[in-house]
Amino acid sequence: MIALLYNILQLILLIIFWPLIFAFVVFKPKYRKRIPARLGFPLPTRTVRKKGPTFWVHALSVGETTSAVPLVKGLRKHYPESRIVVSVSTESGEALAKTLLATTADEIFSSPLDILPVLSRFVLQIQPDVYILVETDFWPNILSVFRRKKIPTLLVNGRISEKSLADYKKFSFFFTPMFRCFSHLVMQSETDRLNILKLNIDQDKLHTLGNLKMDAHINIATDDMKFSKLLPENKRIIVAGSTHPGEEEVIFSAYSSLKTHYPDTYLVLAPRKPERAEEILALGAEQNLCGVRRSEKLSEFGDYFLLDTIGELADAYRHGAISFVGGTLVAEGGHNPIEPASMGIPVLFGPHMEDFAEVASNLIHSGGAVSVANHSELESTLRELMSDSTKREQMGLAAKACIDSQKGVIKQHIDLIQTVL
């Protein structure tokens, strides 16, 4: 009944607002480029069906694509004759997928809109044996289509914060039927599993197998110039990754103060949205910091390096002495601390690590990470680590050991996937 009402409402809204939607798509380059593909113009290539199964892996954006990479590579290794297609909702996520999975996936394409005729064309074209959704991006029609066609569907790397749980419970009439469409729901942590259990989901469908990013391999830079050549020599590098508005000002302030005591310090700042580059350069200029952009030809190093590209943050972490994970000094839920920790460098983050709560807690308790509440704590912690190379090394080793102890996640996922084929 909910699916029927959803489609009736969708049809009514499309009829009423189609002129506005059409104009919006035509005059917005971002949508003008992607909407035709998401409607199936063109459809993914109908490749020759291989001997093995066809896996359709879907990711919402950059973060989910990063999570999907080790799983897709694991599927390719275990099912070398399989056909693997990857759909991504956002332009930046699709660009990252094409960078990291170009030689692994058979096809990477824009995900279809949740409109029944559109979905039917995609499913008929792809003919998947299994649909794997990474982390989030739940839509009623696509899940109900797979359920009717008896195509197994898995949610992997699932997470559900207290805030999300409250929303899901409030609109349980809408979300619970969607979650029940999944053959299996694979959650990152036991807390996530217990949270989703509160939505009256069959517990036999629920599994806790850890975070896919635990098994992620380090991706080297794809540029012709080695990434190390972009950074000054003999500098201790602080890498601030996936930052959000409200954080850059704090980071620049702490960095400016730090440089007066430790002139061999150098900052690499990677905003979550590279299109904010001009805004961030202006913020740096307010504190007399001149930044250089990765996307432009470099003639000098400047006071800091602005990484305004997609897919190179891991390379920056590899050259770092200390890392700061963004989306944590502001209420954004936090971003991935696994990547810098696996590089063997100390990890700092703010109090808002809701989306990676268990990983963050483990890193703190292992001695590999520190949570800083504000500008003052960030600056004092950076000073302490800059002045004590032994502590930096010990924290880095602890962080890496914490991540290494939790590897093997991909094998557990592959074992589960085998049961639905």
Side-chain angles (χ1 to χ4, degrees):
M1 179 61 72
I2 294 300
L4 177 61
L5 292 175
Y6 169 78
N7 283 290
I8 290 173
L9 180 60
Q10 184 185 79
L11 180 60
I12 292 171
L13 292 175
L14 286 173
I15 291 172
I16 294 174
F17 293 107
W18 78 261
L20 183 62
I21 295 171
F22 179 78
F24 190 74
V25 170
V26 168
F27 292 107
K28 285 279 187 177
K30 179 171 71 171
Y31 296 107
R32 186 170 64 241
K33 179 181 177 182
R34 292 187 63 76
I35 292 300
R38 299 194 67 184
L39 289 172
F41 302 103
L43 284 167
T45 305
R46 187 188 288 273
T47 55
V48 177
R49 190 172 179 86
K50 299 183 179 181
K51 294 179 181 178
T54 293
F55 297 102
W56 181 350
V57 180
H58 174 64
L60 172 62
S61 191
V62 171
E64 293 79 13
T65 298
T66 304
S67 297
V69 168
L71 178 60
V72 172
K73 291 186 175 182
L75 288 170
R76 176 58 70 211
K77 180 180 179 181
H78 286 79
Y79 298 96
E81 294 299 318
S82 67
R83 178 171 167 240
I84 305 175
V85 301
V86 177
S87 62
V88 189
S89 296
T90 67
E91 184 177 11
S92 56
E94 187 175 342
L96 181 62
K98 288 179 177 178
T99 298
L100 302 182
L101 294 173
T103 60
T104 308
D106 292 288
E107 180 130 17
I108 298 166
F109 57 94
S110 302
S111 63
L113 295 176
D114 198 52
I115 301 172
L116 277 175
V118 174
L119 292 171
S120 297
R121 295 180 67 224
F122 272 85
V123 173
L124 181 63
Q125 182 82 346
I126 296 169
Q127 298 180 5
D129 293 296
V130 182
Y131 178 76
I132 302 172
L133 173 62
V134 182
E135 294 189 13
T136 188
D137 206 21
F138 312 111
W139 292 97
N141 279 336
I142 193 165
L143 292 172
S144 62
V145 165
F146 288 132
R147 187 172 190 174
R148 286 198 304 272
K149 290 182 175 292
K150 297 183 179 180
I151 296 171
T153 58
L154 284 80
L155 171 68
V156 299
N157 229 44
R159 51 186 168 84
I160 178 168
S161 65
E162 291 296 331
K163 180 181 181 301
S164 296
L165 177 61
D167 292 336
Y168 292 155
K169 290 175 75 172
K170 185 177 180 180
F171 300 100
S172 60
F173 66 90
F174 181 77
F175 287 103
T176 297
M178 280 199 296
F179 290 130
R180 287 175 176 168
C181 287
F182 285 102
S183 306
H184 295 282
L185 296 105
V186 185
M187 312 306 290
Q188 293 183 21
S189 70
E190 184 63 12
T191 300
D192 295 315
R193 190 188 74 85
L194 293 175
N195 278 344
I196 202 166
L197 190 60
K198 295 173 184 177
L199 297 175
N200 297 317
I201 306 300
D202 183 357
Q203 63 179 353
D204 291 338
K205 291 185 175 184
L206 302 178
H207 311 268
T208 304
L209 298 184
N211 194 313
L212 290 171
K213 291 176 181 175
M214 292 293 182
D215 281 353
H217 296 288
I218 300 171
N219 297 293
I220 61 172
T222 56
D223 196 278
D224 292 334
M225 185 189 302
K226 289 184 178 180
F227 195 87
S228 61
K229 299 295 184 182
L230 303 174
L231 304 174
E233 296 180 357
N234 302 317
K235 294 281 188 178
R236 290 181 290 179
I237 296 172
I238 299 170
V239 182
S242 301
T243 61
H244 285 254
E247 293 184 311
E248 289 90 7
E249 299 95 320
V250 175
I251 293 166
F252 282 141
S253 177
Y255 174 57
S256 294
S257 177
L258 198 68
K259 278 178 67 66
T260 61
H261 297 86
Y262 304 97
D264 63 338
T265 303
Y266 190 72
L267 173 68
V268 173
L269 193 146
R272 183 64 173 176
K273 294 184 177 181
E275 59 267 28
R276 295 183 54 239
E278 290 296 337
E279 171 192 341
I280 293 167
L281 289 170
L283 290 172
E286 290 177 3
Q287 301 194 42
N288 298 315
L289 295 172
C290 178
V292 294
R293 296 175 62 167
R294 167 68 175 97
S295 61
E296 297 179 349
K297 186 176 181 180
L298 306 181
S299 58
E300 56 184 21
F301 294 117
D303 296 315
Y304 68 94
F305 185 72
L306 182 58
L307 191 61
D308 59 341
T309 55
I310 296 291
E312 294 187 304
L313 181 54
D315 299 272
Y317 282 137
R318 188 194 352 257
H319 296 284
I322 304 171
S323 67
F324 171 81
V325 177
T328 60
L329 286 174
V330 293
E332 293 290 342
H335 292 294
N336 176 22
I338 298 170
E339 210 164 50
S342 66
M343 306 291 180
I345 60 175
V347 183
L348 310 183
F349 42 70
H352 298 287
M353 280 292 282
E354 294 85 357
D355 290 347
F356 292 88
E358 186 167 303
V359 178
S361 177
N362 290 340
L363 283 169
I364 290 172
H365 285 112
S366 74
V370 174
S371 179
V372 293
N374 49 42
H375 168 275
S376 176
E377 290 187 10
L378 174 62
E379 183 179 331
S380 63
T381 304
L382 287 173
R383 285 195 185 194
E384 181 181 2
L385 290 173
M386 279 296 176
S387 66
D388 192 339
S389 59
T390 300
K391 183 168 184 176
R392 282 203 315 274
E393 182 179 1
Q394 289 174 343
M395 280 189 67
L397 291 172
K400 189 174 189 306
C402 178
I403 300 305
D404 288 346
S405 70
Q406 300 176 66
K407 289 187 178 296
V409 173
I410 297 301
K411 183 182 183 303
Q412 296 180 66
H413 280 74
I414 297 295
D415 290 343
L416 178 63
I417 290 169
Q418 286 178 332
T419 66
V420 302
L421 291 173

